[in-house]
Amino acid sequence: MKILLLLLLISQHATAVEVYEGAESVLLPCQLLAAPSEFTAAVWDRSHLNIPTVHVRVKSGDDLDDQNQRYTNRTSMSTDALQTGNLSLTLRNPTVSDSGTYTCILRITGRDVSWTYLQLKVTEPPPPPPPVWPKVLSAVLVPVVVLAICCGIGMFCGYKRLKNKEVQEVEVDTGVTSAKLPCKATVQLSQINKVVWKNRNNRNVHVCENGSDHPDKQDRHYRHRTEMNKELLKTGDLSLTLKYPTHTARDTYTCTVYSSEGEVLMEKKVELKVKECKLEVVEGAESVCLPFQTTENLPGDTEVLWKRHEPEYMKVHMYENGSDQPDKQDKHYKDRTKMNDDPLTSGDLSLTLKDPKVGDSGKYGCQVNNKEAWRYKRLWLTVTENNQAKKHTEDIRISSTDHLV
Ligand SMILES: *[C@@H]1O[C@H](CO)[C@@H](O)[C@H](O)[C@H]1NC(C)=O
Ligand SMILES: *[C@@H]1O[C@H](CO)[C@@H](O)[C@H](O)[C@H]1NC(C)=O
């Protein structure tokens, strides 16, 4: 109650910001008068975008896994934002397409508790005043017409290029066993020598050269998780099947096709979005299962660490050298966690958490590590007190937004 009332103190001076395209940066203000330590994250969102996240700050720093690509390297918040309550966002190189409604959201353990709306308008710089007398006009007119034609052609070509660069989007549910990233060859199949799929960090996801796969050239994240059509040089189907897409909520994958001279013949981008895994359970339940299925037959040296990232970092469960390691877990979870027998063989690394409490709510991650592979899954767990208490919180939330807007 106390925390939520403090939200009413958010100052609401600026609700619209205007800037010319070409400016070095623009500041989107969001200022709290107080910064209670209960806040676990501040999020800047543009909700009408397919990938709405503009910037996320958690206590340990920026968390840009889910950031919309159009904001890559363009956003920053002051380093002590959550401590001081100055959640203002600096957006560099604003363009007309950045115009729209931005929301500054505060989170407490995965729950949005306050929203501040802000309108950003980025406009074209004003044109220079037109020349007045006719002589100049005619002298100017000819080049202008020529220029307009050139621009027209340029724009047409630009548009065509843009069309080719269009990013296809694929969305899958959390927990699916595989996702298909479609790609069809648009070049002569006989010219194709090598096909490389990469992720947005330029890591090799899959490499196929002279018709055979090269797992040795593949990043650890993707080992044993990818498959391409065996007959791709006959069918032209360059699609990639990605098994157990759990380690990021979204990523952009690029399929690049090379000739034997190393020339790029074509490129196709596919954006994969995996729905967030959100669990909700009422306190008093016997247990809750945090699900995680990945590839089977993980090697014996595999380490599995379930951890909580928010609100406070804790080791939840550790499995190492073929057995659970209760001495390496935080005492908060002592005697309350259990994994399946023989999890490495089945690849079912789900964790059963007994007697879930409200204080267990937060962002969890499970990291799997061995010499040749790396896996990750994250999820949000919310443990609610009971229906009565939940309704009470909703009521306060609604009244706090009433005051904010
Ligand atoms: C972002 O910055 C990093 C490091 O400065 C750079 O390597 C990367 O290419 C940049 N990404 C984009 C999309 O500009
Ligand atoms: C808030 O932080 C921004 C930088 O992110 C800074 O430019 C601005 O002056 C700060 N505002 C206040 C009131 O300190």
Side-chain angles (χ1 to χ4, degrees):
M1 180 87 179
K2 205 173 111 206
I3 318 158
L4 291 160
L5 287 178
L6 274 171
L7 293 176
L8 306 180
L9 301 177
I10 297 174
S11 68
Q12 287 291 303
H13 297 310
T15 50
V17 171
E18 205 167 334
V19 66
Y20 285 129
E21 183 169 283
E24 197 176 302
S25 70
V26 58
L27 187 73
L28 310 185
C30 181
Q31 174 76 50
L32 306 187
L33 295 185
S37 58
E38 285 84 352
F39 293 143
T40 51
V43 180
W44 278 93
D45 243 2
R46 249 180 99 183
S47 54
H48 87 278
L49 293 183
N50 253 333
I51 296 152
T53 308
V54 175
H55 197 97
V56 178
R57 166 60 60 81
V58 294
K59 289 220 161 129
S60 53
D62 289 332
D63 179 4
L64 303 178
D65 278 358
D66 299 336
Q67 186 181 45
N68 186 309
Q69 237 179 347
R70 69 161 84 187
Y71 294 102
T72 309
N73 285 355
R74 294 207 291 136
T75 58
S76 53
M77 284 168 81
S78 78
T79 46
D80 51 1
L82 280 172
Q83 287 76 35
T84 62
N86 177 2
L87 309 179
S88 304
L89 183 80
T90 302
L91 176 63
R92 284 178 291 280
N93 304 326
T95 64
V96 172
S97 65
D98 291 331
S99 303
T101 306
Y102 288 72
T103 318
C104 171
I105 302 168
L106 271 166
R107 261 188 204 154
I108 300 179
T109 58
R111 260 175 196 278
D112 296 350
V113 294
S114 137
W115 300 261
T116 306
Y117 298 92
L118 187 138
Q119 203 66 37
L120 173 66
K121 196 168 167 197
V122 186
T123 51
E124 304 266 8
V132 270
W133 59 95
K135 243 189 180 165
V136 175
L137 202 66
S138 65
V140 162
L141 207 58
V142 175
V144 162
V145 169
V146 172
L147 204 75
I149 292 169
C150 291
C151 273
I153 294 168
M155 268 165 72
F156 178 69
C157 294
Y159 173 72
K160 277 194 72 172
R161 258 204 309 279
L162 212 75
K163 280 290 271 194
N164 286 338
K165 290 234 152 129
E166 232 169 51
V167 180
Q168 183 168 356
E169 290 185 12
V170 172
E171 186 166 352
V172 295
D173 259 319
T174 176
V176 295
T177 52
S178 70
K180 186 164 178 186
L181 311 180
C183 182
K184 184 113 190 77
T186 55
V187 296
Q188 246 183 349
L189 300 182
S190 60
Q191 288 182 293
I192 299 178
N193 177 55
K194 187 162 84 164
V195 183
V196 180
W197 278 93
K198 283 180 184 272
N199 74 358
R200 91 180 137 137
N201 296 324
N202 223 28
R203 292 182 200 261
N204 278 346
V205 175
H206 192 101
V207 179
C208 176
E209 199 166 358
N210 298 321
S212 50
D213 295 334
H214 283 264
D216 52 309
K217 295 185 177 161
Q218 193 173 25
D219 186 89
R220 254 163 31 102
H221 288 59
Y222 300 100
R223 200 70 59 81
H224 309 306
R225 283 181 56 216
T226 58
E227 227 169 65
M228 281 179 81
N229 189 321
K230 296 265 179 304
E231 304 276 287
L232 62 91
L233 291 182
K234 284 198 195 118
T235 60
D237 180 6
L238 311 180
S239 306
L240 183 79
T241 302
L242 184 61
K243 293 182 216 164
Y244 301 111
T246 53
H247 81 267
T248 52
R250 59 157 217 92
D251 206 336
T252 305
Y253 296 86
T254 309
C255 174
T256 311
V257 178
Y258 298 89
S259 69
S260 49
E261 286 79 39
E263 186 197 348
V264 173
L265 300 173
M266 64 167 276
E267 202 177 83
K268 156 114 197 241
K269 284 187 192 299
V270 181
E271 172 114 28
L272 174 65
K273 198 173 165 194
V274 183
K275 289 214 181 95
E276 288 276 11
C277 181
K278 290 188 174 166
L279 303 172
E280 198 165 329
V281 65
V282 179
E283 192 174 60
E286 195 178 314
S287 67
V288 56
C289 175
L290 315 186
F292 182 17
Q293 172 72 51
T294 188
T295 51
E296 295 167 8
N297 300 320
L298 292 159
D301 68 339
T302 302
E303 225 183 75
V304 182
L305 173 61
W306 274 97
K307 49 195 174 176
R308 188 170 96 180
H309 294 284
E310 288 179 34
E312 208 183 319
Y313 180 83
M314 280 184 194
K315 283 188 177 164
V316 176
H317 190 98
M318 175 97 180
Y319 180 94
E320 200 179 34
N321 301 323
S323 60
D324 297 326
Q325 307 287 331
D327 52 318
K328 293 190 178 165
Q329 82 184 144
D330 195 283
K331 62 178 186 305
H332 181 79
Y333 292 98
K334 190 168 159 26
D335 298 329
R336 293 203 295 134
T337 58
K338 189 174 177 325
M339 277 173 70
N340 293 329
D341 295 333
D342 202 9
L344 302 184
T345 308
S346 64
D348 182 357
L349 309 176
S350 305
L351 185 78
T352 302
L353 175 63
K354 287 179 231 167
D355 187 18
K357 308 185 191 41
V358 171
D360 295 333
S361 300
K363 180 182 178 181
Y364 286 74
C366 179
Q367 183 180 306
V368 180
N369 207 357
N370 59 48
K371 274 201 204 72
E372 61 164 16
W374 191 92
R375 309 275 184 263
Y376 186 79
K377 157 119 181 189
R378 72 165 182 194
L379 53 87
W380 295 92
L381 174 66
T382 306
V383 185
T384 50
E385 221 167 303
N386 57 45
N387 286 336
Q388 215 68 40
K390 198 173 144 207
K391 184 173 177 302
H392 182 58
T393 319
E394 297 287 352
D395 289 344
I396 298 171
R397 267 211 263 167
I398 288 160
S399 69
S400 75
T401 26
D402 281 344
H403 286 76
L404 287 172
V405 179

